[in-house]
Amino acid sequence: MAVLPPLEKILLQSRESDADAEMSSSYFSEEDALEYNMSEDLEDSPAVTSPPPSSKPEKANKYKNSLDLAICSPSLLPMLNFRFGGDLYNSDHFPLEVSYADSACVTQRPQRYLFQRADWAAFRQLAVITETMVVSNDIDEAIKTVTDQIISAADVAIPKSSSHPRKFRKPWWNDACREAYQNQRRLWGIFRRYLTLENHVAFKKARATARRIRRRSQRESWMTYISSVTSAISSAQLWKKVKAANRIYKEFSFPVIRTGTTLYSTPTEVANIIGQGFARVSSADSYSPTFLVTKRRAEQILLNFKTRKPLSYNCAFRMFELRKALSKVKDTSPGPDGITYSMIRHLDADSPTNLLNLFNRIWKEQDYPSQWREAIVIPILKPEKDPSNPLNYRPIALTSCLSKTLERMVNARLVYQLKKTRCIPTFQSGFRKGRSALDNIIKLETQIRNAFVRRNHLVSIFFDIEKAYDHTWRHVILRSLHDSEFQGNLPIFI
């Protein structure tokens, strides 16, 4: 069975017969069928597609499974995607789902700032953070005022990209084509200003040279493209190349999420189901009942981090700490507020001082802004995983760059204090500056070589904890800081 959206009158026939399956398996191999179908497509005759395995459920000790054939016009075939559904729907065949492959439905793209064309001088004049903005009564109100000031200046001084669907570049366009085209445009400008015979001849020569370079590049690119279509590639890769040759590119599309027997396809439903999956992994539902009893008993003991001692790691931040934190960051995607590190680095001379005062106010009053608790979570599908399973996505959280700047300053003090008190094990390489997994590999190699020389046995144990970060017991981390005698603003901020 096939499900088609109303396009036009399409001849779509589904034929399943064991006799045809026996005949096709006896006389034609999969590679021959692909070559035959490709030649028929090019000759403008009806194209026959054979979806991946069979659409019939496996039956033990029964007849051979038959193939499903979907027949449609060659001009329409590259615009469609064929796949099997996973639910039988009380039938003896899996459904054959046919969907659009054309990207014409994509109407808008999210706009982004074009920093290479930014007017930073105008931005500095407009994005001025004053002392009055920072000393307002409410910290949330101060954060909102500072954010609005920076974003309003960015909207004026920094242009944005177009919201129209992106144009795919020509695969044959290279540096030689670009240089020839630029030379042609340059000589055309000279000829327009000075209408002489010599300039006209020079322009026509440049135009002929650019045309010759483009044609040669197109020919070489096409030969390389065709040479990649061999009998070793899969049918999915083959049709991807056929669609690319017809200038049909696949834009981003929301996956269909399955939970049990229910399917979710709208963006809101997909986002909610994936978000619920992320929350379920980090919640207490993933813990065993025995551990939950221990966890509740341990968390009944409250941790008191308040102190009146003038500890050095609790003092106000200074300007060199802010500059050091900004000097080590790279331009990353902004959070919900839209502020980037480039905007923070291009503030005027007085604004960083007032921004530092705002950070110190958050630090001393121990009041974390509510705006910084929000994040844009982007689910990234894990390699070679089923996109319909919501647990096969890795969450990437985009938080405010202002918040991450303050977190870098706090983390620098925390790491320095941990090194000073020797709380970090000697052989730990993760999350340490100048250390990596290569140090542990070299240490292991040294132990192996020593065991060979001394003719001793060497036992190594490797642990791979599933979802270690999501299942981390936060109360134990805070209790470790409490046992290490951390008090005041630093542990409270964490």
Side-chain angles (χ1 to χ4, degrees), residues 103-337:
S103 60
C105 58
V106 181
T107 57
Q108 286 187 341
R109 288 192 304 154
Q111 292 181 316
R112 58 183 181 85
Y113 290 105
L114 303 177
F115 295 106
Q116 64 273 17
R117 295 165 50 189
D119 186 357
W120 293 117
F123 178 79
R124 292 188 187 92
Q125 294 178 358
L126 297 174
V128 178
I129 301 176
T130 62
E131 185 178 358
T132 307
M133 300 179 183
V134 175
V135 297
S136 59
N137 295 329
D138 189 11
I139 288 184
D140 288 343
E141 183 180 350
I143 292 295
K144 184 179 183 304
T145 304
V146 171
T147 301
D148 293 343
Q149 182 74 5
I150 297 176
I151 292 299
S152 60
D155 291 339
V156 175
I158 306 176
K160 291 184 177 181
S161 61
S162 174
S163 60
H164 297 293
R166 69 187 180 96
K167 296 181 179 179
F168 294 92
R169 72 174 187 88
K170 297 178 175 61
W172 48 266
W173 188 265
N174 51 25
D175 294 337
C177 296
R178 184 181 300 104
E179 293 175 0
Y181 179 74
Q182 291 175 354
N183 186 43
Q184 174 187 342
R185 297 290 298 175
R186 182 179 62 83
L187 293 177
W188 169 248
I190 296 175
F191 173 65
R192 288 180 59 188
R193 291 191 300 271
Y194 308 101
L195 298 175
T196 63
L197 180 61
E198 292 79 6
N199 291 339
H200 188 206
V201 172
F203 163 69
K204 294 186 69 175
K205 287 183 178 179
R207 184 176 61 180
T209 302
R211 186 187 301 114
R212 185 175 63 254
I213 292 176
R214 286 197 301 270
R215 288 177 178 175
R216 184 177 64 237
S217 178
Q218 289 174 359
R219 184 169 57 254
E220 293 175 353
S221 176
W222 177 251
M223 293 175 61
T224 304
Y225 186 79
I226 292 299
S227 300
S228 64
V229 180
T230 62
S231 59
I233 66 173
S234 63
S235 59
Q237 293 174 337
L238 172 64
W239 288 116
K240 183 178 180 180
K241 291 180 177 294
V242 171
K243 293 172 184 177
N246 286 272
R247 298 182 180 181
I248 298 175
Y249 300 94
K250 183 179 180 181
E251 285 279 0
F252 172 79
S253 59
F254 283 91
V256 178
I257 301 298
R258 180 190 303 275
T259 57
T261 59
T262 308
L263 297 177
Y264 302 92
S265 58
T266 63
T268 303
E269 292 176 343
V270 171
N272 290 334
I273 293 301
I274 294 179
Q276 291 173 8
F278 293 156
R280 188 163 49 251
V281 169
S282 302
S283 65
D285 297 338
S286 58
Y287 297 142
S288 62
T290 305
F291 177 75
L292 285 176
V293 174
T294 305
K295 181 174 180 294
R296 295 191 187 97
R297 186 185 305 113
E299 292 179 353
Q300 290 178 355
I301 303 175
L302 300 179
L303 303 177
N304 185 14
F305 290 106
K306 295 183 179 181
T307 182
R308 295 183 178 180
K309 298 179 181 179
L311 300 175
S312 59
Y313 53 79
N314 290 328
C315 64
F317 291 101
R318 289 176 285 182
M319 181 57 65
F320 81 91
E321 295 179 271
L322 175 59
R323 292 174 179 171
K324 185 178 180 181
L326 292 175
S327 64
K328 294 184 178 181
V329 297
K330 299 180 181 179
D331 289 330
T332 58
S333 299
D337 55 8

Side-chain angles (χ1 to χ4, degrees), residues 423-484:
C423 294
I424 301 178
T426 306
F427 297 108
Q428 177 179 336
S429 299
F431 305 99
R432 297 186 65 183
K433 183 180 179 181
R435 301 285 293 272
S436 66
L438 185 61
D439 297 323
N440 299 86
I441 295 175
I442 294 176
K443 180 65 176 178
L444 177 62
E445 181 186 8
T446 303
Q447 296 294 332
I448 293 174
R449 293 182 181 274
N450 291 337
F452 273 120
V453 172
R454 299 171 183 174
R455 296 185 178 182
N456 293 335
H457 294 281
L458 178 65
V459 178
S460 299
I461 302 176
F462 301 90
F463 288 99
D464 185 10
I465 303 177
E466 182 183 8
K467 301 184 185 304
Y469 182 81
D470 299 323
H471 293 166
T472 301
W473 190 4
R474 298 175 180 82
H475 180 79
V476 172
I477 297 177
L478 296 176
R479 190 173 63 187
S480 299
L481 293 175
H482 186 270
D483 295 342
S484 300

